[in-house]
Amino acid sequence: MYVPTTNNMILLLYLHILAATQLPAALAEECRNTLKATYTSPIAGGGWTYRLIANGFTRPRSILFDNEGALLVVDANSGVKHLKLTDDGGTCVSVAEKRTIIDSPEKSPGILLVSRGSASNIDEAAISQSSGHSQLRAFDIGSLDDNSGPLSFPTQGRMLGWGLRNSVGVAEEPVTGGIWTVENSADQLRRNNIDIHTDNPAEELNFHGHLSDSNNGQGGNYGYPSCFTVWSTEGFPDIGNMTTGDQFTLTPSRTLNDTTCNSAYVPPRLSFQAHTAPLDIKFTPDGSEAFVTFHGSWNRDLAVGYKLSSITFSNGEPTESADSRTPITDILSNADTSSCPDNCFRPVGLAWDSQQRLFMTSDSTGEIYVLQRTDVSVSTSSPAAPVPTSSPDAAATLVPSRLASSCSLAISVLVFMGGAGVAGLIVF
């Protein structure tokens, strides 16, 4: 019987360590995908690795996997693209075939969530529910048939929330079924005629209850265009006792003031740096994290956003408090945001595959990235397959509920007026 000596055991341990450290590098060297960004390479957060897998799009927005593992891409002003992927394991993914497809969806049972944005920076029409502006509604599309006419957004559907300026990203937390949105707030604001736009108002993460319980936390007014959310208190006029996450009005009066904003309207669950422009939100299957794309600022001297970040969740709620100034962890960011927006990636859409790799579009550069945790085992035995999730849309966002029946994949390019209409992907 062989009995290993101390020296042999040390040698075996050394070989194990060498193999563990050299194998990823070897795989990276052998990867057939050699695409490189034309701008400074992004920086991955701790525990993550990434690779650029596709480019040459016009403005890729929403993405989704079909039931055969192909990646479907809504390319603004260009159409819906079908990408057949070659998967060599880990982030070594490349495009084997790319084509434009045109398809018509069939109506199937389910609940459809539709988010409609504002018509302008300060859209006074959004004060009225009847306008349909800046609202999130749920529609029962299971009752539709071939003779059904178009649904009216302002007058039909179940109201999940209003006073939501541009809730572009919509998602359902997979464990509890809670509905969450990320909101782009207003620009160029002045309070009491003092410019506060650099660091206010905050972008928002909002909660809209559960589709299974219409009596709990649904249908409330979130404040826009009357009230906005504080991000930075520094130099804020008449800040009083307010802090990050509190709501304020631009010109306080007897009938509308900061007290009114914080008592009569629904506050955000979390706040984000002003002008970072969150566009999509995707949860992990266990609901422990939500990933958010921050498209980036356009009206701030020092650029902010331009990154993919995560929010930690537990029991269906963010773990950070509502007044947190550090609610996110950066996953992928630009090395030099001073080059943005002209020479950096601007993330928009997210999609998970069955191997828990996260795919992300960048509309400004016409690219698609794939990200993977570095502690996930590399597998090449099975192709990418879909995990149904939501998709973003700058003016109208469509999200299939998990209450919907499981049916075949359908793709739809949709435009809803009430903001900058952009195509979105839906799954029935």
Side-chain angles (χ1 to χ4, degrees):
M1 181 179 68
Y2 170 72
V3 179
T5 65
T6 300
N7 288 339
N8 286 339
M9 292 179 68
I10 293 174
L11 177 61
L12 288 172
L13 178 61
Y14 170 76
L15 291 175
H16 260 297
I17 295 173
L18 182 65
T21 56
Q22 295 300 315
L23 182 58
L27 288 175
E29 292 175 359
E30 296 172 2
C31 184
R32 72 185 76 191
N33 176 3
T34 59
L35 290 179
K36 301 292 183 183
T38 57
Y39 44 91
T40 304
S41 296
I43 299 174
W48 286 85
T49 184
Y50 74 92
R51 186 181 299 275
L52 176 63
I53 68 163
N55 56 17
F57 297 94
T58 303
R59 288 189 67 204
R61 305 287 287 186
S62 303
I63 54 176
L64 197 68
F65 282 96
D66 69 11
N67 55 9
E68 295 182 353
L71 187 62
L72 307 173
V73 183
V74 172
D75 197 11
N77 302 319
S78 180
V80 179
K81 305 298 174 66
H82 177 281
L83 273 59
K84 183 178 180 181
L85 303 178
T86 297
D87 187 353
D88 292 320
T91 61
C92 190
V93 178
S94 55
V95 177
E97 179 184 287
K98 175 182 175 182
R99 59 191 177 94
T100 301
I101 61 172
I102 300 175
D103 200 359
S104 299
E106 296 180 358
K107 297 184 179 72
S108 302
I111 303 297
L112 182 68
L113 305 189
V114 182
S115 174
R116 179 175 179 176
S118 62
S120 60
N121 187 38
I122 305 296
D123 184 0
E124 296 294 341
I127 294 176
S128 171
Q129 277 196 27
S130 62
S131 70
H133 293 195
S134 300
Q135 298 178 7
L136 177 67
R137 291 176 177 262
F139 294 86
D140 179 8
I141 60 174
S143 60
L144 301 180
D145 57 33
D146 292 339
N147 297 319
S148 298
L151 296 172
S152 170
F153 184 86
T155 61
Q156 295 178 277
R158 179 167 134 202
M159 177 74 79
L160 300 187
W162 57 302
L164 299 159
R165 182 176 178 269
N166 275 330
S167 290
V168 183
V170 185
E172 186 177 40
E173 194 276 318
V175 177
T176 65
I179 304 300
W180 296 85
T181 62
V182 286
E183 178 181 340
N184 285 240
S185 195
D187 301 304
Q188 309 292 5
L189 293 191
R190 301 178 70 86
R191 175 172 160 94
N192 292 336
N193 207 31
I194 298 174
D195 185 357
I196 60 170
H197 90 276
T198 298
D199 288 315
N200 286 289
E203 317 285 41
E204 301 178 4
L205 174 72
N206 288 307
F207 178 61
H208 306 285
H210 304 79
L211 292 179
S212 59
D213 184 3
S214 60
N215 297 316
N216 185 16
Q218 281 185 356
N221 188 334
Y222 289 73
Y224 175 84
S226 301
C227 301
F228 303 88
T229 300
V230 175
W231 172 251
S232 175
T233 60
E234 184 176 353
F236 194 97
D238 301 320
I239 188 64
N241 295 322
M242 290 190 296
T243 187
T244 298
D246 289 332
Q247 298 203 74
F248 66 93
T249 189
L250 300 180
T251 307
S253 66
R254 291 183 59 186
T255 57
L256 179 63
N257 50 53
D258 301 337
T259 300
T260 310
C261 288
N262 287 287
S263 61
Y265 299 100
V266 182
R269 180 57 184 82
L270 287 178
S271 304
F272 309 120
Q273 163 70 50
H275 312 304
T276 48
L279 288 189
D280 197 9
I281 177 171
K282 290 288 190 298
F283 283 91
T284 54
D286 64 0
S288 63
E289 282 183 286
F291 290 80
V292 178
T293 52
F294 290 94
H295 197 234
S297 60
W298 62 269
N299 62 342
R300 195 176 186 275
D301 291 340
L302 296 178
V304 290
Y306 302 96
K307 61 186 179 181
L308 169 68
S309 303
S310 70
I311 303 168
T312 302
F313 270 69
S314 178
N315 298 318
E317 286 280 338
T319 58
E320 289 287 325
S321 62
D323 62 354
S324 174
R325 292 269 297 176
T326 56
I328 58 176
T329 299
D330 292 346
I331 303 301
L332 189 69
S333 55
N334 280 283
D336 181 13
T337 55
S338 67
S339 300
C340 299
D342 297 329
N343 195 30
C344 65
F345 77 87
R346 300 191 75 180
V348 182
L350 296 171
W352 292 102
D353 75 354
S354 62
Q355 298 182 47
Q356 292 309 296
R357 293 175 298 191
L358 187 58
F359 289 71
M360 180 191 79
T361 65
S362 167
D363 65 349
S364 62
T365 55
E367 299 170 328
I368 297 177
Y369 280 89
V370 59
L371 297 94
Q372 185 180 42
R373 296 183 193 271
T374 53
D375 57 355
V376 174
S377 299
V378 175
S379 172
T380 59
S381 59
S382 60
V387 175
T389 50
S390 61
S391 300
D393 183 343
T397 299
L398 311 174
V399 179
S401 166
R402 64 192 181 116
L403 300 178
S405 300
S406 176
C407 301
S408 60
L409 177 73
I411 308 167
S412 182
V413 181
L414 299 165
V415 176
F416 285 82
M417 303 308 294
V422 178
L425 286 177
I426 61 174
V427 177
F428 297 127

